[in-house]
Amino acid sequence: MSDKRFDIMGQHYAVHGWMRQGLGLKGSMLELYALVYGYNASGREFTASLDYMCEWTGLSKKQVIDNMKRLCDKGYLNRYDIRDRGIKMCR
């Protein structure tokens, strides 16, 4: 088992063909988009932490931030910054 804070053993997310061929996503952007889409498709809002996304994808914090920004810039994701008990979060 991983010594990370998030136990993702037994968990999964799906990459759909339309994400690859329709949107043209690949690599890190494809992984992150699929992770976010999995939450939204099940009716939940994606509010995971940066550490959580790093654990799932194996990417560094900088890579996650840069790729999430690219996904937003392309219009594939919307980002909303909020403060909850003084902690900055993104939705």
Side-chain angles (χ1 to χ4, degrees):
M1 182 176 310
S2 172
D3 62 347
K4 299 284 186 176
R5 293 187 329 168
F6 305 102
D7 181 11
I8 58 174
M9 295 293 289
Q11 302 297 315
H12 70 279
Y13 61 90
V15 173
H16 299 271
W18 59 263
M19 294 175 184
R20 176 67 193 103
Q21 292 183 334
L23 299 179
L25 297 174
K26 61 183 176 181
S28 303
M29 287 177 59
L30 176 61
E31 282 191 75
L32 288 165
Y33 185 83
L35 182 61
V36 173
Y37 180 82
Y39 276 80
N40 292 334
S42 64
R44 297 177 290 170
E45 185 174 47
F46 187 77
T47 57
S49 69
L50 183 57
D51 287 334
Y52 182 82
M53 290 186 282
C54 290
E55 178 65 17
W56 261 108
T57 60
L59 299 171
S60 70
K61 288 182 179 183
K62 181 175 180 356
Q63 289 171 313
V64 169
I65 291 168
D66 290 347
N67 283 292
M68 291 295 283
K69 182 176 182 330
R70 285 187 194 104
L71 288 166
C72 290
D73 290 347
K74 289 180 175 281
Y76 296 146
L77 298 177
N78 294 313
R79 175 183 168 146
Y80 304 97
D81 293 334
I82 59 168
R83 292 227 176 250
D84 183 11
R85 295 178 293 250
I87 299 170
K88 182 181 176 185
M89 298 172 51
C90 301
R91 289 188 174 163

